[in-house]
Amino acid sequence: MSFRAALVACLLMLGAPAHAEKRVALVVGNNDYRNVPKLQKAVNDARTMGDTLKRLGFTVMVAENLNRQGFSEALLAFDKAVDSGDTAFFFYAGHGFEIAGQNFLLPIDVPAATEGQEELVRDASVLADRIIERLQNKKVRTSILVFDACRNNPFERAGTRAVAGGGGLAPMTQLPEGVFSVFSAGPRQTALDRLSNDDANPNSVFTRTFARELLQPGENLVQVAQHTRRLVSEMAETVSHKQIPVYFDQMVDDVFLNGRAKDQPEAAKPPEAPAQKVAALPPVSVPRVAPQNDSVNAPIAMFSRHNGGWTVVFSIADPALGISWRMGESGDFRETGFLDTLDPRTRKRMPNPAIELAADAPAATIQVRYVDASGEIQGPFPIKFDPEAALIRDQRKILDMTATSWLSFREFNGLLVYYTHLMSYRCAIREVRIGVDSAVPDRVLKMPPCDPRDPSVIPHDAQPYLKLSPGTQFVSVELTYRDGSVSEIKSFRR
């Protein structure tokens, strides 16, 4: 079986039985630290976020001033409260700390630590990636994680050398599908608790803004994050401070926590028309059209761009005996065919979950239906195809998975550093910055514009390399993606 056939076969078999999906949130605020500086507004931030999420239909657990054991117990309760297909929201306000690219959330009993005692911090803290892993293990469909923890290094002390790490948190770029994370400030930035001594707002600058944006009707998560970023940045600039919140998006499609999109009209429907199932969206669009059969999971789709066009892979939770599709609201459905493998759940040939679209296929709605194990037709389910958004998301995933290939060195009439790989996936990139023999990228690389008709081709007049001094030892690189999020800084040595 080919690699692609094996891939789509695995994707088809993923999934769990459907159930009544719900929204669950764990909100944590830590102020009263014993061995590192106390905070003033983290508990207030947690309470504000708890109230906000309740208004959005979440079942909310609010936990304050957690020690290590209390943090573990809160996460265990969170585990037990969520189920497959749910929407999970985790908010943390308090001290956070980054060690070697990993993010740790600090309970109030974290010990004071100095140089060489990084393991004390690791062992006493909560690894942020582990929270994501736990939610993935519960097969949560949508995971939203928000961190208002980008403060100064809490372990800095006069007369001592601090733990090797950084204040705040590192970017989380390697996220699994279905995860959306937001940080109150960008890399190497600190988040403001207040704008001045006269600022009487009980919440941090980020949380007061983010909570307000979450309640704006018709905004999806990306819009909420973008508006928060702009407003927080503008407020911080008024006091000559740089704070630009960042977000990392691995969602399958738009997610709305408070109503439908503003530009989505409510069309009148004849009373005899059956209600249409919602596909490729977690249950977070309010109001949501009720499906015909609550036991059926709507398919989701993965779009992948290649030289010949698009490959679209449908992932269906239920066992399927056949899959068919069409573009738009009318026309005949086309069968996808079958793979040369058996589905162990049905003991029949596995339907091919992949279809091909032309390179110039316009934005449209793909209608998908399938035959379930009992022989009943389920669907059709509408799946939105936006070529521009799909191209950016696809190339972003490739860049994240191939970070070790961003730059390469070659000695030819001197020393050259090639960034051909970045040029090939430039449609997902807004800006590339590098630092030569410096860990701080301070130089912008020139990139040709994105050509959606042939996105991976490098123009003949583009120069995909730089000439460097023969004594150059390493080059650092940082990407700013189209959505405004920023990659972790990578270093490449000769």
Side-chain angles (χ1 to χ4, degrees):
M1 185 165 54
S2 68
F3 174 77
R4 175 174 290 179
L7 172 64
V8 296
C10 290
L11 287 171
L12 185 64
M13 290 192 295
L14 289 176
H19 73 296
E21 298 157 342
K22 58 186 182 297
R23 297 178 173 187
V24 183
L26 172 61
V27 175
V28 178
N30 283 347
N31 275 347
D32 297 335
Y33 287 91
R34 302 169 187 170
N35 305 305
V36 299
K38 294 180 183 294
L39 298 174
Q40 295 181 347
K41 296 189 176 183
V43 168
N44 283 340
D45 290 341
R47 293 174 181 175
T48 295
M49 284 301 303
D51 292 340
T52 299
L53 293 172
K54 288 176 184 176
R55 293 174 64 181
L56 294 172
F58 282 83
T59 299
V60 180
M61 296 177 282
V62 178
E64 301 174 1
N65 294 318
L66 296 179
N67 59 19
R68 184 63 179 86
Q69 180 177 345
F71 218 139
S72 296
E73 291 172 351
L75 290 173
L76 182 60
F78 195 31
D79 282 347
K80 293 180 178 179
V82 297
D83 293 296
S84 173
D86 285 348
T87 295
F89 196 117
F90 175 80
F91 174 85
Y92 174 77
H95 278 307
F97 197 70
E98 173 264 324
I99 300 176
Q102 289 186 306
N103 293 323
F104 294 87
L105 311 181
L106 307 187
I108 61 171
D109 58 350
V110 65
T114 57
E115 184 184 24
Q117 296 181 325
E118 290 78 15
E119 292 304 320
L120 282 178
V121 180
R122 292 178 190 266
D123 293 343
S125 303
V126 174
L127 180 63
D129 286 337
R130 178 62 182 142
I131 299 173
I132 297 175
E133 182 181 342
R134 291 166 74 151
L135 294 175
Q136 291 287 299
N137 289 341
K138 294 301 294 283
K139 294 182 171 53
V140 168
R141 187 170 189 182
T142 302
S143 299
I144 306 165
L145 297 97
V146 182
F147 303 98
D148 192 358
C150 303
R151 296 175 170 85
N152 291 323
N153 186 337
F155 300 104
E156 289 180 342
R157 296 287 187 280
T160 67
R161 299 192 64 177
V163 172
L169 301 176
M172 298 174 73
T173 57
Q174 304 293 331
L175 295 176
E177 189 174 279
V179 178
F180 191 96
S181 67
V182 186
F183 293 78
S184 59
R188 300 176 300 282
Q189 296 175 3
T190 55
L192 293 171
D193 267 354
R194 60 187 185 275
L195 293 172
S196 69
N197 291 333
D198 297 327
D199 184 354
N201 194 296
N203 296 121
S204 72
V205 174
F206 169 80
T207 295
R208 71 180 75 165
T209 307
F210 183 70
R212 185 172 63 247
E213 286 300 315
L214 276 176
L215 295 175
Q216 295 298 318
E219 288 190 2
N220 61 35
L221 279 179
V222 172
Q223 292 170 323
V224 169
Q226 289 176 339
H227 295 166
T228 300
R229 180 177 60 194
R230 176 176 57 80
L231 293 170
V232 170
S233 175
E234 290 173 353
M235 285 191 287
E237 285 179 359
T238 65
V239 292
S240 301
H241 183 80
K242 186 174 184 179
Q243 179 182 348
I244 305 175
V246 296
Y247 66 93
F248 303 93
D249 177 15
Q250 289 296 335
M251 304 307 301
V252 173
D253 212 327
D254 292 340
V255 174
F256 296 89
L257 293 183
N258 191 21
R260 67 177 68 243
K262 293 176 181 177
D263 59 351
Q264 183 179 345
E266 187 142 2
K269 297 180 182 178
E272 68 276 9
Q276 197 174 42
K277 300 180 180 72
V278 177
L281 281 174
V284 291
S285 184
V286 182
R288 182 188 179 210
V289 181
Q292 297 171 353
N293 186 341
D294 287 339
S295 68
V296 177
N297 276 344
I300 60 175
M302 180 180 70
F303 299 93
S304 190
R305 184 70 158 85
H306 49 81
N307 290 339
W310 292 92
T311 296
V312 186
V313 179
F314 304 118
S315 181
I316 301 173
D318 292 336
L321 301 180
I323 303 172
S324 58
W325 67 285
R326 73 182 179 197
M327 296 295 285
E329 302 296 329
S330 61
D332 295 332
F333 280 85
R334 288 174 279 179
E335 301 293 329
T336 62
F338 295 87
L339 302 176
D340 292 330
T341 187
L342 294 178
D343 186 337
R345 300 173 298 177
T346 63
R347 296 177 178 262
K348 298 180 183 295
R349 289 184 68 186
M350 182 175 292
N352 179 11
I355 64 172
E356 301 292 327
L357 299 179
D360 58 354
T365 298
I366 304 173
Q367 299 284 345
V368 183
R369 66 185 188 184
Y370 66 92
V371 180
D372 65 19
S374 63
E376 297 292 327
I377 295 178
Q378 303 295 337
F381 302 90
I383 294 179
K384 179 182 176 183
F385 171 53
D386 181 339
E388 180 180 2
L391 174 61
I392 292 173
R393 184 176 289 116
D394 182 45
Q395 291 202 351
R396 165 71 184 271
K397 288 181 180 179
I398 294 173
L399 287 168
D400 287 343
M401 291 188 295
T402 59
T404 56
S405 303
W406 288 356
L407 299 182
S408 61
F409 292 95
R410 181 183 177 189
E411 294 187 16
F412 180 77
N413 292 332
L415 180 62
L416 306 177
V417 60
Y418 278 82
Y419 51 101
T420 312
H421 190 76
L422 295 178
M423 277 195 178
S424 297
Y425 300 103
R426 63 190 180 276
C427 291
I429 301 172
R430 179 183 297 173
E431 183 181 75
V432 181
R433 301 179 71 89
I434 66 167
V436 179
D437 283 337
S438 170
V440 180
D442 55 5
R443 177 177 178 179
V444 177
L445 287 183
K446 186 177 180 180
M447 301 280 282
C450 168
D451 181 2
R453 297 168 300 178
D454 210 349
S456 299
V457 171
I458 299 174
H460 66 88
D461 56 347
Q463 179 174 294
Y465 63 87
L466 286 177
K467 294 183 179 180
L468 302 178
S469 167
T472 300
Q473 296 300 310
F474 73 96
V475 175
S476 61
V477 59
E478 179 184 67
L479 307 184
T480 300
Y481 295 104
R482 292 283 182 188
D483 62 8
S485 60
V486 181
S487 74
E488 180 182 353
I489 296 177
K490 306 287 186 182
S491 291
F492 296 82
R493 295 191 174 273
R494 295 176 57 182

